């Protein structure tokens, strides 16, 4: 069973790294890795941490790239890889443009597709944009669907995906988190080394979504600036995404002064340690809504909707929207009212037990055997 895994961005790499490592140890699987490098530096950070050396690297990233550029460069670049490798199945992850373009490229070559983190939905095609449509389209190309939760499975069934092709596995992000979270770690970053985590309340911020660029991001950063001004015992730490449009807005509204620290993207291990030491997380990231509940850290999601309602129901994640007043008000409550904070700050784990990769591999091996018997 030759499995070609393709990914291109930081979150895909974090969530697929433990799976690749385990596939390489599985005698029934020949694991080949191709990265598109839709992200360059942020992808390389993860490859280095997990000690992964890709067999192919399409190296497509351009500054301020458009979705059309990513899509066409991935499809064209993969043509040769598929022809050379002739994989039995291609594995993709989640909802990036690398994910969808790879699924489409595989379909054009009539190669089977396995979709990891399948079945997440908001049912609003422009939010998150373009991720919602990327995952819907990938889901309709895929042959095997690895759904993190029962709700994700139900979403796929509603779209007439066959029940026998859907497997509830948990989310591989928990496998990745557990691999790095337990290890002792001292920060190398100078800013983080100088933060008094015992006596200050740290708010970790990330923000990058395309639909938040512009006005929403101004509102979000405005709220964060006001929080920093109002609550003198806080430190804001924002490892900035490398998108220049995000950085321009962050530098303009937040600056890098006083108790607001704009720093470079962190390696996954220090970042997980930073989350674990934080009082509160404010983010529009998808993956952090899955990680923070495990760490027992309250998250305010600066988006209008979420495809991760399990974390909201579990109580550690709240939707804060994108208006300055609402975000400020919700964060103020958590910083001022102990009971409100404690209601959110407990570890829950709706996204898995850290064994998602093993389940996926078992299903792949069985699928390979079925295909061999069938032929
Ligand atoms: C992409 C995904 C998004 C995912 C996010 C995770 C798409 C359309 N978007 O969004 O689903 O949540 O990654 O971070 O697939 N850049 C660098 N170096 C890097 C990474 C990015 O310089 O290592 C800069 C480049 O100028 C690049 C820009 O950031 O053009 C935007 O990157 P891109 O992958 O297009 O979009 P993201 O917003 O990162
Ligand atoms: N992350 C990281 N370093 C950082 C910021 C985030 O390793 O400086 C991790 C985070 O723990 C999560 C993932 O990157 O696993 C989220 O990636 P991103 O925000 O780029 O994408 P999204 O989750 O929104 O798809």
């Amino acid at each position: 069973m030759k499995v070609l895994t393709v990914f291109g961005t930081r979150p895909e790499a974090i969530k697929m790294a433990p799976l690749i490592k385990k596939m390489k140890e599985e005698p029934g699987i020949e694991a080949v890795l191709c990265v598109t490098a839709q992200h360059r530096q942020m992808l390389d950070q993860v490859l280095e941490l997990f000690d992964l050396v890709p067999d192919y690297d399409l190296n497509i990233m351009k500054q301020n790239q458009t979705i059309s550029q990513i899509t066409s460069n991935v499809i064209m670049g993969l043509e040769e890889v598929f022809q050379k490798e002739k994989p039995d199945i291609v594995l993709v992850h989640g909802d990036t443009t690398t994910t969808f373009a790879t699924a489409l490229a595989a379909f054009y070559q009539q190669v089977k597709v396995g979709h990891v983190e399948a079945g997440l939905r908001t049912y609003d095609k422009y939010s998150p944009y373009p991720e919602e449509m990327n995952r819907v389209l990938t889901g309709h190309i895929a042959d095997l669907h690895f759904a993190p939760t029962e709700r994700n499975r139900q979403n796929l069934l509603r779209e007439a995906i066959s029940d026998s092709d859907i497997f509830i596995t948990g989310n591989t992000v928990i496998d990745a988190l557990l691999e790095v979270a337990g290890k002792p770690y001292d920060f190398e970053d100078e800013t983080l080394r100088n933060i008094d985590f015992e006596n200050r309340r740290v708010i970790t911020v990330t923000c990058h979504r395309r639909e938040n660029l512009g006005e929403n991001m101004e509102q979000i950063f405005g709220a964060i600036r006001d929080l920093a001004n109002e609550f003198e015992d806080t430190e804001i730490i924002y490892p900035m995404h490398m998108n220049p449009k995000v950085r321009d807005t962050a530098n303009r509204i937040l600056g890098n002064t006083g108790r607001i620290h704009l720093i470079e993207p962190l390696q996954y291990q220090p970042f997980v340690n930073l989350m674990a030491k934080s009082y509160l997380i404010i983010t529009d990231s998808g993956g952090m809504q899955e990680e923070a509940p495990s760490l027992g850290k309250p998250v305010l999601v600066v988006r209008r909707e979420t495809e991760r309602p399990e974390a909201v129901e579990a109580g550690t994640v709240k939707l804060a929207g994108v208006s300055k007043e609402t975000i400020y008000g919700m964060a103020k409550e958590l910083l001022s009212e102990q009971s409100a904070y404690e209601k959110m700050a407990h570890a829950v784990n709706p996204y898995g037990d850290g064994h998602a990769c093993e389940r996926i591999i078992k299903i792949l091996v069985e699928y390979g055997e079925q295909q061999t018997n069938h032929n």
Side-chain angles (χ1 to χ4, degrees):
M1 176 80 165
K2 188 188 269 194
V3 181
L4 172 65
T5 302
V6 183
F7 55 73
T9 67
R10 169 171 68 189
E12 294 163 79
I14 290 171
K15 291 168 165 185
M16 291 301 255
L19 183 59
I20 306 265
K21 282 174 72 180
K22 283 220 163 67
M23 282 198 293
K24 284 192 185 292
E25 293 161 6
E26 169 61 48
I29 288 179
E30 182 188 347
V32 181
L33 173 60
C34 172
V35 296
T36 64
Q38 174 181 334
H39 286 172
R40 183 73 273 168
Q41 298 87 345
M42 285 159 56
L43 172 76
D44 290 345
Q45 275 188 319
V46 185
L47 296 176
E48 190 193 306
L49 174 70
F50 287 93
D51 220 2
L52 288 178
V53 181
D55 301 290
Y56 297 90
D57 188 332
L58 305 184
N59 198 24
I60 64 159
M61 195 192 87
K62 304 262 183 302
Q63 285 303 313
N64 283 313
Q65 59 205 357
T66 65
I67 303 171
S68 314
Q69 284 170 330
I70 305 168
T71 309
S72 50
N73 288 334
V74 170
I75 293 176
M76 293 307 290
L78 283 177
E79 210 166 58
E80 204 185 310
V81 179
F82 286 168
Q83 276 161 13
K84 202 159 156 224
E85 289 296 333
K86 303 202 175 349
D88 296 303
I89 191 162
V90 173
L91 279 192
V92 294
H93 181 278
D95 54 20
T96 71
T97 294
T98 284
T99 312
F100 165 57
T102 301
L104 186 58
F107 169 68
Y108 285 164
Q109 309 269 333
Q110 299 190 20
V111 176
K112 301 262 192 268
V113 174
H115 188 198
V116 180
E117 200 180 273
L120 280 68
R121 297 288 186 271
T122 61
Y123 300 104
D124 176 346
K125 74 177 178 182
Y126 289 111
S127 181
Y129 168 81
E131 291 81 8
E132 174 72 3
M133 201 41 79
N134 282 344
R135 57 198 172 210
V136 169
L137 295 170
T138 303
H140 285 268
I141 293 173
D143 301 275
L144 294 179
H145 309 259
F146 302 107
T149 69
E150 171 61 25
R151 185 188 303 256
N152 302 147
R153 175 173 162 271
Q154 292 297 335
N155 290 343
L156 293 169
L157 290 174
R158 265 199 296 280
E159 291 173 23
I161 306 278
S162 168
D163 201 2
S164 59
D165 298 336
I166 309 172
F167 304 89
I168 300 177
T169 59
N171 197 311
T172 59
V173 75
I174 305 299
D175 301 34
L177 184 71
L178 296 182
E179 193 171 325
V180 304
K183 296 181 188 161
Y185 187 82
D186 289 325
F187 291 122
E188 281 169 18
D189 182 280
E190 209 40 44
T191 308
L192 297 181
R193 286 178 84 90
N194 288 327
I195 300 277
D196 178 1
F197 284 95
E198 298 298 312
N199 297 304
R200 316 287 290 167
R201 293 193 290 179
V202 168
I203 304 178
T204 294
V205 173
T206 79
C207 192
H208 70 82
R209 305 229 75 85
R210 267 182 161 74
E211 72 274 12
N212 275 343
L213 295 172
E215 171 60 21
N216 291 356
M217 221 166 260
E218 309 223 348
Q219 295 272 328
I220 295 164
F221 294 159
I224 289 163
R225 186 194 51 212
D226 290 355
L227 286 167
N229 287 337
E230 173 88 13
F231 292 90
E232 290 182 0
D233 67 335
T234 58
E235 303 280 342
I236 312 287
I237 303 187
Y238 178 9
M240 280 186 297
H241 192 284
M242 294 192 77
N243 187 338
K245 294 189 182 106
V246 174
R247 290 187 164 216
D248 288 350
T249 314
N251 282 316
R252 182 163 46 80
I253 298 179
L254 294 171
N256 194 7
T257 50
R259 289 178 286 101
I260 299 182
H261 311 277
L262 304 184
I263 60 175
E264 289 305 310
L266 290 167
Q267 265 280 21
Y268 188 51
Q269 196 180 6
F271 189 73
V272 167
N273 275 273
L274 173 63
M275 280 197 287
K277 286 180 190 302
S278 297
Y279 182 83
L280 171 66
I281 293 167
I282 300 181
T283 186
D284 65 2
S285 155
M288 285 162 64
Q289 295 175 57
E290 296 154 348
E291 292 162 340
S294 278
L295 301 168
K297 296 297 168 182
V299 182
L300 293 181
V301 177
V302 284
R303 290 170 50 178
R304 289 205 173 87
E305 43 35 55
T306 178
E307 57 292 275
R308 289 159 171 101
E310 298 89 349
V312 176
E313 283 160 11
T316 37
V317 167
K318 270 190 186 166
L319 263 185
V322 288
S323 94
K324 187 173 145 190
E325 285 71 29
T326 321
I327 300 164
Y328 177 82
M330 289 175 79
K332 183 177 176 180
E333 188 187 21
L334 291 172
L335 288 162
S336 324
E337 291 175 29
Q338 194 61 23
S339 64
Y341 181 80
E342 267 156 22
K343 263 194 213 148
M344 288 183 79
H346 52 263
V348 284
N349 202 342
Y351 293 110
D353 56 3
H355 296 286
C357 296
E358 285 150 44
R359 294 188 189 98
I360 292 170
I361 288 173
K362 188 162 173 280
I363 295 155
L364 285 172
V365 170
E366 283 168 11
Y367 184 73
E369 285 164 3
Q370 277 167 20
Q371 298 290 304
T372 313
N373 295 340
H374 187 72
N375 296 331

